[in-house]
Amino acid sequence: AATAELEAACTQAAASRDATSLSRSLKRARRAVDVSEELLGRGEALKAEIEAEIKAAREAAEEAERERKRAEREERERVERDAATAELEAACTQAAASRDATSLSRSLKRARRAVDVSEELLGRGEALKAEIEAEIKAAREAAEEAERERKRAEREERERVERDAATAELE
């Protein structure tokens, strides 16, 4: 009975490439007394062959999945790089025209996070941002200096008027 079951399981496993029923039949046949060693060896070899095929198929599927994920990641990076590059170029053009570095700052941050954005473009954007910020700082300092000068002139005028009024009283 164990011999017939093992032969049927070998035939079924060879046809379906599924070793689950073959495993149970091999266990039973090993306990049985009247099963030939040749049949046991053939069953075990078939089981090992099927398990190796299953393992190879699983590894191939895992490798294909890793490759698919890598390709998807590279595509996302490419799309982000292209978008960040376009945004940075537009921001550089807009910032050069308006002399306002706010949109340029956001675009530079996005471009730095993106993978493989042109270093030349990043450098150009950084230089433009630094130039605009220096202009803004110089204009702010000039305005502060003009305000200080205006206040000093007002104070001197007030003091002159007070001095003239005091001199007029003494005369």
Side-chain angles (χ1 to χ4, degrees):
T3 302
E5 181 186 338
L6 183 56
E7 286 176 353
C10 284
T11 305
Q12 192 267 337
S16 70
R17 305 314 282 174
D18 183 18
T20 50
S21 64
L22 183 59
S23 296
R24 283 189 299 263
S25 298
L26 277 170
K27 283 182 185 176
R28 182 169 180 225
R30 280 190 208 103
R31 285 190 305 251
V33 180
D34 61 341
V35 178
S36 75
E37 288 299 316
E38 185 268 330
L39 181 59
L40 272 173
R42 211 176 55 203
E44 288 175 358
L46 179 61
K47 178 183 172 201
E49 178 185 326
I50 291 171
E51 287 174 347
E53 287 174 6
I54 291 170
K55 182 179 178 185
R58 186 180 320 114
E59 288 172 354
E62 289 170 354
E63 179 61 31
E65 179 68 12
R66 280 192 297 275
E67 180 61 27
R68 182 188 63 76
K69 286 181 179 179
R70 184 191 60 76
E72 287 176 356
R73 185 190 76 243
E74 287 177 352
E75 178 62 17
R76 281 192 310 273
E77 289 172 354
R78 184 193 64 77
V79 167
E80 176 59 20
R81 178 177 51 252
D82 292 348
T85 299
E87 180 183 332
L88 183 55
E89 288 172 346
C92 283
T93 304
Q94 191 268 335
S98 70
R99 306 315 279 175
D100 181 18
T102 25
S103 65
L104 186 58
S105 295
R106 282 190 305 272
S107 298
L108 280 168
K109 282 182 185 177
R110 181 180 182 187
R112 277 190 222 105
R113 281 191 312 264
V115 178
D116 294 335
V117 172
S118 163
E119 290 298 321
E120 183 270 329
L121 180 60
L122 281 171
R124 205 172 67 216
E126 292 285 350
L128 180 60
K129 179 182 175 196
E131 177 185 327
I132 291 171
E133 288 173 346
E135 288 174 4
I136 291 170
K137 182 179 178 185
R140 185 178 54 244
E141 288 173 353
E144 290 170 354
E145 181 60 32
E147 180 66 17
R148 280 193 296 273
E149 184 60 32
R150 184 187 62 76
K151 286 181 179 178
R152 186 187 61 74
E154 286 177 357
R155 187 184 69 243
E156 287 177 355
E157 180 63 23
R158 240 188 350 266
E159 289 172 356
R160 187 189 61 75
V161 168
E162 288 174 4
R163 198 175 36 251
D164 289 349
T167 304
E169 277 182 22
L170 292 175
E171 292 176 357

Tab-separated table of all heavy atoms in Angstrom, residues 70-127:
chain	number	residue	atom	x	y	z
A	70	ARG	N	13.265	49.127	-8.171
A	70	ARG	CA	14.389	49.995	-8.516
A	70	ARG	C	14.031	50.866	-9.722
A	70	ARG	O	14.279	52.072	-9.732
A	70	ARG	CB	15.638	49.166	-8.828
A	70	ARG	CG	16.877	50.025	-9.091
A	70	ARG	CD	18.034	49.212	-9.669
A	70	ARG	NE	17.702	48.588	-10.929
A	70	ARG	CZ	17.624	49.221	-12.115
A	70	ARG	NH1	17.832	50.512	-12.179
A	70	ARG	NH2	17.326	48.570	-13.213
A	71	ALA	N	13.403	50.251	-10.733
A	71	ALA	CA	13.008	50.998	-11.936
A	71	ALA	C	11.961	52.066	-11.581
A	71	ALA	O	12.030	53.196	-12.087
A	71	ALA	CB	12.468	50.046	-12.992
A	72	GLU	N	11.006	51.728	-10.720
A	72	GLU	CA	9.997	52.705	-10.295
A	72	GLU	C	10.647	53.861	-9.535
A	72	GLU	O	10.304	55.021	-9.756
A	72	GLU	CB	8.946	52.039	-9.404
A	72	GLU	CG	7.987	51.146	-10.144
A	72	GLU	CD	7.024	50.420	-9.210
A	72	GLU	OE1	7.148	50.557	-7.963
A	72	GLU	OE2	6.146	49.712	-9.728
A	73	ARG	N	11.603	53.537	-8.640
A	73	ARG	CA	12.291	54.573	-7.878
A	73	ARG	C	13.086	55.487	-8.813
A	73	ARG	O	13.028	56.715	-8.696
A	73	ARG	CB	13.243	53.946	-6.854
A	73	ARG	CG	13.898	54.979	-5.945
A	73	ARG	CD	15.013	54.415	-5.081
A	73	ARG	NE	16.196	54.223	-5.910
A	73	ARG	CZ	16.775	53.064	-6.162
A	73	ARG	NH1	16.318	51.962	-5.632
A	73	ARG	NH2	17.836	52.982	-6.925
A	74	GLU	N	13.790	54.899	-9.772
A	74	GLU	CA	14.555	55.707	-10.719
A	74	GLU	C	13.639	56.586	-11.563
A	74	GLU	O	13.985	57.728	-11.870
A	74	GLU	CB	15.414	54.809	-11.612
A	74	GLU	CG	16.603	54.219	-10.883
A	74	GLU	CD	17.411	53.277	-11.744
A	74	GLU	OE1	16.985	52.951	-12.878
A	74	GLU	OE2	18.480	52.838	-11.278
A	75	GLU	N	12.470	56.071	-11.934
A	75	GLU	CA	11.518	56.873	-12.706
A	75	GLU	C	10.989	58.037	-11.861
A	75	GLU	O	10.889	59.169	-12.344
A	75	GLU	CB	10.360	55.996	-13.201
A	75	GLU	CG	9.309	56.749	-13.978
A	75	GLU	CD	9.801	57.398	-15.256
A	75	GLU	OE1	10.884	57.041	-15.753
A	75	GLU	OE2	9.105	58.289	-15.770
A	76	ARG	N	10.660	57.766	-10.589
A	76	ARG	CA	10.204	58.848	-9.701
A	76	ARG	C	11.295	59.911	-9.549
A	76	ARG	O	11.019	61.111	-9.578
A	76	ARG	CB	9.832	58.301	-8.322
A	76	ARG	CG	8.487	57.637	-8.235
A	76	ARG	CD	8.077	57.381	-6.789
A	76	ARG	NE	9.076	56.730	-5.978
A	76	ARG	CZ	9.254	55.411	-5.866
A	76	ARG	NH1	8.475	54.593	-6.519
A	76	ARG	NH2	10.195	54.919	-5.087
A	77	GLU	N	12.555	59.459	-9.385
A	77	GLU	CA	13.670	60.390	-9.248
A	77	GLU	C	13.839	61.216	-10.521
A	77	GLU	O	14.093	62.419	-10.448
A	77	GLU	CB	14.966	59.629	-8.940
A	77	GLU	CG	15.009	59.052	-7.543
A	77	GLU	CD	16.218	58.144	-7.315
A	77	GLU	OE1	16.969	57.871	-8.286
A	77	GLU	OE2	16.411	57.710	-6.167
A	78	ARG	N	13.694	60.581	-11.690
A	78	ARG	CA	13.839	61.291	-12.960
A	78	ARG	C	12.751	62.355	-13.099
A	78	ARG	O	13.030	63.500	-13.458
A	78	ARG	CB	13.762	60.319	-14.153
A	78	ARG	CG	14.000	61.020	-15.507
A	78	ARG	CD	13.604	60.132	-16.674
A	78	ARG	NE	12.188	59.825	-16.697
A	78	ARG	CZ	11.236	60.666	-17.104
A	78	ARG	NH1	11.529	61.880	-17.487
A	78	ARG	NH2	9.970	60.289	-17.106
A	79	VAL	N	11.507	61.964	-12.775
A	79	VAL	CA	10.388	62.911	-12.875
A	79	VAL	C	10.614	64.087	-11.920
A	79	VAL	O	10.438	65.252	-12.302
A	79	VAL	CB	9.048	62.197	-12.580
A	79	VAL	CG1	7.929	63.186	-12.358
A	79	VAL	CG2	8.707	61.243	-13.712
A	80	GLU	N	11.020	63.806	-10.693
A	80	GLU	CA	11.263	64.861	-9.711
A	80	GLU	C	12.433	65.743	-10.152
A	80	GLU	O	12.388	66.965	-10.025
A	80	GLU	CB	11.537	64.268	-8.328
A	80	GLU	CG	11.895	65.283	-7.260
A	80	GLU	CD	10.843	66.350	-7.007
A	80	GLU	OE1	9.662	66.154	-7.363
A	80	GLU	OE2	11.200	67.412	-6.467
A	81	ARG	N	13.493	65.118	-10.677
A	81	ARG	CA	14.651	65.883	-11.145
A	81	ARG	C	14.245	66.828	-12.276
A	81	ARG	O	14.598	68.006	-12.277
A	81	ARG	CB	15.747	64.927	-11.623
A	81	ARG	CG	16.970	65.621	-12.172
A	81	ARG	CD	18.076	64.657	-12.579
A	81	ARG	NE	17.640	63.591	-13.451
A	81	ARG	CZ	17.511	62.309	-13.094
A	81	ARG	NH1	17.769	61.930	-11.862
A	81	ARG	NH2	17.106	61.391	-13.960
A	82	ASP	N	13.480	66.315	-13.239
A	82	ASP	CA	13.033	67.148	-14.359
A	82	ASP	C	12.154	68.300	-13.870
A	82	ASP	O	12.310	69.445	-14.298
A	82	ASP	CB	12.279	66.309	-15.392
A	82	ASP	CG	13.185	65.313	-16.111
A	82	ASP	OD1	14.426	65.433	-15.969
A	82	ASP	OD2	12.650	64.426	-16.800
A	83	ALA	N	11.233	67.989	-12.952
A	83	ALA	CA	10.337	69.032	-12.424
A	83	ALA	C	11.125	70.064	-11.625
A	83	ALA	O	10.893	71.274	-11.757
A	83	ALA	CB	9.248	68.401	-11.566
A	84	ALA	N	12.049	69.603	-10.789
A	84	ALA	CA	12.842	70.531	-9.971
A	84	ALA	C	13.730	71.397	-10.855
A	84	ALA	O	13.892	72.600	-10.585
A	84	ALA	CB	13.692	69.742	-8.963
A	85	THR	N	14.278	70.810	-11.910
A	85	THR	CA	15.124	71.575	-12.826
A	85	THR	C	14.307	72.652	-13.532
A	85	THR	O	14.719	73.816	-13.607
A	85	THR	CB	15.785	70.636	-13.861
A	85	THR	OG1	16.598	69.695	-13.157
A	85	THR	CG2	16.628	71.402	-14.847
A	86	ALA	N	13.139	72.267	-14.028
A	86	ALA	CA	12.278	73.239	-14.714
A	86	ALA	C	11.849	74.350	-13.760
A	86	ALA	O	11.851	75.532	-14.119
A	86	ALA	CB	11.056	72.529	-15.300
A	87	GLU	N	11.479	73.966	-12.535
A	87	GLU	CA	11.057	74.962	-11.547
A	87	GLU	C	12.199	75.914	-11.207
A	87	GLU	O	12.001	77.129	-11.093
A	87	GLU	CB	10.565	74.266	-10.280
A	87	GLU	CG	10.112	75.217	-9.202
A	87	GLU	CD	9.695	74.514	-7.920
A	87	GLU	OE1	9.247	73.353	-7.984
A	87	GLU	OE2	9.822	75.142	-6.857
A	88	LEU	N	13.401	75.374	-11.050
A	88	LEU	CA	14.550	76.211	-10.701
A	88	LEU	C	14.901	77.164	-11.843
A	88	LEU	O	15.204	78.334	-11.612
A	88	LEU	CB	15.756	75.351	-10.321
A	88	LEU	CG	17.004	76.095	-9.871
A	88	LEU	CD1	16.696	77.036	-8.717
A	88	LEU	CD2	18.095	75.111	-9.476
A	89	GLU	N	14.847	76.666	-13.074
A	89	GLU	CA	15.131	77.543	-14.219
A	89	GLU	C	14.110	78.680	-14.290
A	89	GLU	O	14.473	79.838	-14.505
A	89	GLU	CB	15.129	76.733	-15.517
A	89	GLU	CG	16.350	75.840	-15.643
A	89	GLU	CD	16.284	74.885	-16.822
A	89	GLU	OE1	15.185	74.705	-17.412
A	89	GLU	OE2	17.329	74.312	-17.153
A	90	ALA	N	12.832	78.347	-14.106
A	90	ALA	CA	11.786	79.379	-14.135
A	90	ALA	C	11.976	80.365	-12.980
A	90	ALA	O	11.818	81.583	-13.156
A	90	ALA	CB	10.409	78.730	-14.057
A	91	ALA	N	12.323	79.859	-11.796
A	91	ALA	CA	12.518	80.726	-10.637
A	91	ALA	C	13.720	81.647	-10.840
A	91	ALA	O	13.682	82.813	-10.443
A	91	ALA	CB	12.701	79.887	-9.372
A	92	CYS	N	14.778	81.129	-11.475
A	92	CYS	CA	15.953	81.969	-11.751
A	92	CYS	C	15.573	83.110	-12.697
A	92	CYS	O	15.943	84.265	-12.472
A	92	CYS	CB	17.081	81.135	-12.371
A	92	CYS	SG	17.981	80.122	-11.184
A	93	THR	N	14.828	82.776	-13.726
A	93	THR	CA	14.393	83.791	-14.686
A	93	THR	C	13.506	84.830	-13.999
A	93	THR	O	13.709	86.045	-14.165
A	93	THR	CB	13.617	83.124	-15.843
A	93	THR	OG1	14.444	82.122	-16.436
A	93	THR	CG2	13.204	84.125	-16.887
A	94	GLN	N	12.547	84.360	-13.220
A	94	GLN	CA	11.616	85.255	-12.531
A	94	GLN	C	12.355	86.108	-11.498
A	94	GLN	O	12.119	87.305	-11.379
A	94	GLN	CB	10.504	84.423	-11.886
A	94	GLN	CG	9.341	85.223	-11.352
A	94	GLN	CD	9.508	85.590	-9.886
A	94	GLN	OE1	10.208	84.935	-9.138
A	94	GLN	NE2	8.871	86.668	-9.505
A	95	ALA	N	13.280	85.493	-10.758
A	95	ALA	CA	14.011	86.222	-9.721
A	95	ALA	C	14.941	87.261	-10.339
A	95	ALA	O	15.105	88.355	-9.790
A	95	ALA	CB	14.802	85.257	-8.849
A	96	ALA	N	15.540	86.941	-11.484
A	96	ALA	CA	16.416	87.898	-12.143
A	96	ALA	C	15.617	89.115	-12.610
A	96	ALA	O	16.100	90.245	-12.548
A	96	ALA	CB	17.117	87.235	-13.326
A	97	ALA	N	14.369	88.877	-13.042
A	97	ALA	CA	13.532	89.975	-13.516
A	97	ALA	C	12.968	90.798	-12.357
A	97	ALA	O	12.967	92.026	-12.402
A	97	ALA	CB	12.399	89.429	-14.373
A	98	SER	N	12.492	90.124	-11.306
A	98	SER	CA	11.809	90.839	-10.219
A	98	SER	C	12.733	91.211	-9.062
A	98	SER	O	12.347	91.989	-8.200
A	98	SER	CB	10.670	89.974	-9.670
A	98	SER	OG	11.207	88.858	-8.965
A	99	ARG	N	13.940	90.622	-9.021
A	99	ARG	CA	14.898	90.820	-7.930
A	99	ARG	C	14.290	90.413	-6.588
A	99	ARG	O	14.540	91.025	-5.563
A	99	ARG	CB	15.403	92.262	-7.867
A	99	ARG	CG	16.002	92.808	-9.157
A	99	ARG	CD	16.944	91.867	-9.831
A	99	ARG	NE	18.289	91.870	-9.267
A	99	ARG	CZ	19.234	91.041	-9.663
A	99	ARG	NH1	18.993	90.164	-10.616
A	99	ARG	NH2	20.411	91.083	-9.130
A	100	ASP	N	13.472	89.344	-6.612
A	100	ASP	CA	12.852	88.798	-5.397
A	100	ASP	C	13.294	87.342	-5.274
A	100	ASP	O	13.043	86.534	-6.169
A	100	ASP	CB	11.323	88.879	-5.495
A	100	ASP	CG	10.645	88.340	-4.251
A	100	ASP	OD1	11.312	88.228	-3.199
A	100	ASP	OD2	9.445	88.015	-4.331
A	101	ALA	N	13.941	86.990	-4.177
A	101	ALA	CA	14.545	85.661	-4.027
A	101	ALA	C	13.665	84.656	-3.300
A	101	ALA	O	14.097	83.545	-3.053
A	101	ALA	CB	15.873	85.788	-3.295
A	102	THR	N	12.415	84.992	-2.984
A	102	THR	CA	11.589	84.054	-2.199
A	102	THR	C	11.287	82.784	-2.966
A	102	THR	O	11.485	81.688	-2.441
A	102	THR	CB	10.267	84.699	-1.758
A	102	THR	OG1	9.921	85.729	-2.642
A	102	THR	CG2	10.314	85.180	-0.364
A	103	SER	N	10.799	82.885	-4.184
A	103	SER	CA	10.483	81.668	-4.943
A	103	SER	C	11.765	80.929	-5.303
A	103	SER	O	11.776	79.707	-5.412
A	103	SER	CB	9.691	82.005	-6.206
A	103	SER	OG	10.479	82.774	-7.093
A	104	LEU	N	12.843	81.664	-5.462
A	104	LEU	CA	14.131	81.042	-5.779
A	104	LEU	C	14.607	80.166	-4.618
A	104	LEU	O	15.131	79.071	-4.841
A	104	LEU	CB	15.167	82.131	-6.089
A	104	LEU	CG	16.531	81.679	-6.575
A	104	LEU	CD1	16.403	80.850	-7.836
A	104	LEU	CD2	17.425	82.871	-6.825
A	105	SER	N	14.375	80.593	-3.393
A	105	SER	CA	14.787	79.806	-2.217
A	105	SER	C	14.069	78.465	-2.187
A	105	SER	O	14.687	77.419	-1.971
A	105	SER	CB	14.488	80.572	-0.931
A	105	SER	OG	15.259	81.730	-0.871
A	106	ARG	N	12.748	78.487	-2.410
A	106	ARG	CA	11.987	77.224	-2.414
A	106	ARG	C	12.452	76.309	-3.533
A	106	ARG	O	12.617	75.097	-3.343
A	106	ARG	CB	10.489	77.511	-2.570
A	106	ARG	CG	9.820	77.970	-1.311
A	106	ARG	CD	8.303	77.991	-1.467
A	106	ARG	NE	7.858	78.784	-2.603
A	106	ARG	CZ	7.608	80.091	-2.564
A	106	ARG	NH1	7.773	80.750	-1.435
A	106	ARG	NH2	7.199	80.725	-3.633
A	107	SER	N	12.684	76.869	-4.697
A	107	SER	CA	13.114	76.070	-5.842
A	107	SER	C	14.500	75.472	-5.607
A	107	SER	O	14.757	74.332	-5.998
A	107	SER	CB	13.121	76.923	-7.106
A	107	SER	OG	11.829	77.374	-7.395
A	108	LEU	N	15.370	76.235	-4.979
A	108	LEU	CA	16.708	75.711	-4.676
A	108	LEU	C	16.630	74.551	-3.685
A	108	LEU	O	17.331	73.552	-3.843
A	108	LEU	CB	17.603	76.822	-4.117
A	108	LEU	CG	18.212	77.746	-5.161
A	108	LEU	CD1	18.820	78.968	-4.496
A	108	LEU	CD2	19.253	77.010	-5.979
A	109	LYS	N	15.779	74.669	-2.664
A	109	LYS	CA	15.622	73.570	-1.698
A	109	LYS	C	15.132	72.311	-2.396
A	109	LYS	O	15.641	71.213	-2.159
A	109	LYS	CB	14.628	73.958	-0.603
A	109	LYS	CG	15.194	74.871	0.437
A	109	LYS	CD	14.152	75.163	1.505
A	109	LYS	CE	14.650	76.172	2.508
A	109	LYS	NZ	13.640	76.517	3.497
A	110	ARG	N	14.119	72.463	-3.260
A	110	ARG	CA	13.582	71.310	-3.972
A	110	ARG	C	14.648	70.699	-4.876
A	110	ARG	O	14.790	69.469	-4.936
A	110	ARG	CB	12.369	71.726	-4.802
A	110	ARG	CG	11.756	70.572	-5.556
A	110	ARG	CD	10.558	70.986	-6.362
A	110	ARG	NE	9.980	69.834	-7.037
A	110	ARG	CZ	9.005	69.919	-7.909
A	110	ARG	NH1	8.464	71.079	-8.205
A	110	ARG	NH2	8.547	68.827	-8.487
A	111	ALA	N	15.417	71.514	-5.555
A	111	ALA	CA	16.440	71.018	-6.466
A	111	ALA	C	17.562	70.302	-5.705
A	111	ALA	O	18.093	69.298	-6.174
A	111	ALA	CB	17.014	72.162	-7.293
A	112	ARG	N	17.895	70.794	-4.502
A	112	ARG	CA	18.926	70.115	-3.698
A	112	ARG	C	18.462	68.734	-3.256
A	112	ARG	O	19.261	67.811	-3.160
A	112	ARG	CB	19.292	70.952	-2.481
A	112	ARG	CG	20.292	72.020	-2.783
A	112	ARG	CD	20.798	72.662	-1.484
A	112	ARG	NE	20.871	74.094	-1.674
A	112	ARG	CZ	20.025	74.988	-1.184
A	112	ARG	NH1	19.031	74.610	-0.421
A	112	ARG	NH2	20.175	76.260	-1.422
A	113	ARG	N	17.150	68.599	-2.958
A	113	ARG	CA	16.622	67.295	-2.531
A	113	ARG	C	16.529	66.318	-3.689
A	113	ARG	O	16.623	65.107	-3.483
A	113	ARG	CB	15.246	67.465	-1.901
A	113	ARG	CG	15.282	67.965	-0.484
A	113	ARG	CD	13.911	67.864	0.178
A	113	ARG	NE	12.838	68.398	-0.631
A	113	ARG	CZ	12.341	69.622	-0.531
A	113	ARG	NH1	12.830	70.453	0.343
A	113	ARG	NH2	11.339	70.012	-1.309
A	114	ALA	N	16.298	66.822	-4.890
A	114	ALA	CA	16.162	65.948	-6.061
A	114	ALA	C	17.521	65.317	-6.382
A	114	ALA	O	18.572	65.873	-6.089
A	114	ALA	CB	15.653	66.738	-7.254
A	115	VAL	N	17.477	64.123	-6.987
A	115	VAL	CA	18.697	63.383	-7.301
A	115	VAL	C	19.266	63.854	-8.634
A	115	VAL	O	18.551	63.966	-9.619
A	115	VAL	CB	18.381	61.864	-7.367
A	115	VAL	CG1	19.617	61.074	-7.732
A	115	VAL	CG2	17.806	61.392	-6.053
A	116	ASP	N	20.572	64.144	-8.657
A	116	ASP	CA	21.318	64.462	-9.884
A	116	ASP	C	20.847	65.702	-10.630
A	116	ASP	O	20.816	65.722	-11.859
A	116	ASP	CB	21.297	63.263	-10.851
A	116	ASP	CG	22.035	62.064	-10.303
A	116	ASP	OD1	22.928	62.267	-9.471
A	116	ASP	OD2	21.710	60.938	-10.707
A	117	VAL	N	20.496	66.752	-9.914
A	117	VAL	CA	20.183	68.019	-10.582
A	117	VAL	C	21.512	68.656	-10.984
A	117	VAL	O	22.504	68.537	-10.275
A	117	VAL	CB	19.366	68.947	-9.658
A	117	VAL	CG1	19.200	70.327	-10.269
A	117	VAL	CG2	18.010	68.337	-9.394
A	118	SER	N	21.537	69.327	-12.101
A	118	SER	CA	22.749	69.945	-12.642
A	118	SER	C	23.422	70.846	-11.602
A	118	SER	O	22.800	71.773	-11.085
A	118	SER	CB	22.373	70.751	-13.881
A	118	SER	OG	23.404	71.657	-14.206
A	119	GLU	N	24.677	70.559	-11.322
A	119	GLU	CA	25.438	71.375	-10.363
A	119	GLU	C	25.607	72.798	-10.892
A	119	GLU	O	25.609	73.751	-10.133
A	119	GLU	CB	26.808	70.740	-10.096
A	119	GLU	CG	26.752	69.454	-9.296
A	119	GLU	CD	26.164	69.640	-7.912
A	119	GLU	OE1	26.442	70.675	-7.261
A	119	GLU	OE2	25.414	68.759	-7.473
A	120	GLU	N	25.731	72.937	-12.208
A	120	GLU	CA	25.873	74.256	-12.826
A	120	GLU	C	24.624	75.096	-12.568
A	120	GLU	O	24.704	76.256	-12.200
A	120	GLU	CB	26.132	74.081	-14.335
A	120	GLU	CG	26.365	75.373	-15.080
A	120	GLU	CD	25.092	75.996	-15.615
A	120	GLU	OE1	24.155	75.261	-15.947
A	120	GLU	OE2	25.033	77.229	-15.676
A	121	LEU	N	23.461	74.463	-12.723
A	121	LEU	CA	22.201	75.171	-12.491
A	121	LEU	C	22.048	75.530	-11.018
A	121	LEU	O	21.642	76.649	-10.682
A	121	LEU	CB	21.014	74.316	-12.957
A	121	LEU	CG	19.625	74.921	-12.788
A	121	LEU	CD1	19.509	76.222	-13.575
A	121	LEU	CD2	18.557	73.934	-13.243
A	122	LEU	N	22.384	74.596	-10.130
A	122	LEU	CA	22.331	74.890	-8.690
A	122	LEU	C	23.269	76.044	-8.340
A	122	LEU	O	22.897	76.951	-7.584
A	122	LEU	CB	22.702	73.654	-7.873
A	122	LEU	CG	21.625	72.598	-7.689
A	122	LEU	CD1	22.206	71.351	-7.046
A	122	LEU	CD2	20.483	73.125	-6.860
A	123	GLY	N	24.465	76.012	-8.897
A	123	GLY	CA	25.432	77.083	-8.636
A	123	GLY	C	24.943	78.425	-9.139
A	123	GLY	O	25.084	79.451	-8.456
A	124	ARG	N	24.340	78.422	-10.339
A	124	ARG	CA	23.799	79.660	-10.901
A	124	ARG	C	22.678	80.210	-10.009
A	124	ARG	O	22.605	81.404	-9.734
A	124	ARG	CB	23.281	79.377	-12.315
A	124	ARG	CG	23.270	80.584	-13.193
A	124	ARG	CD	22.944	80.257	-14.620
A	124	ARG	NE	21.559	79.807	-14.703
A	124	ARG	CZ	21.114	78.870	-15.521
A	124	ARG	NH1	21.929	78.261	-16.330
A	124	ARG	NH2	19.843	78.532	-15.546
A	125	GLY	N	21.807	79.301	-9.544
A	125	GLY	CA	20.707	79.718	-8.665
A	125	GLY	C	21.222	80.267	-7.346
A	125	GLY	O	20.730	81.293	-6.851
A	126	GLU	N	22.204	79.586	-6.750
A	126	GLU	CA	22.784	80.050	-5.480
A	126	GLU	C	23.432	81.416	-5.661
A	126	GLU	O	23.277	82.306	-4.815
A	126	GLU	CB	23.834	79.045	-4.972
A	126	GLU	CG	23.290	77.709	-4.542
A	126	GLU	CD	22.590	77.751	-3.206
A	126	GLU	OE1	22.667	78.781	-2.501
A	126	GLU	OE2	21.955	76.755	-2.859
A	127	ALA	N	24.159	81.590	-6.768
A	127	ALA	CA	24.830	82.869	-7.017
A	127	ALA	C	23.805	83.987	-7.195
A	127	ALA	O	23.980	85.094	-6.651
A	127	ALA	CB	25.720	82.755	-8.251
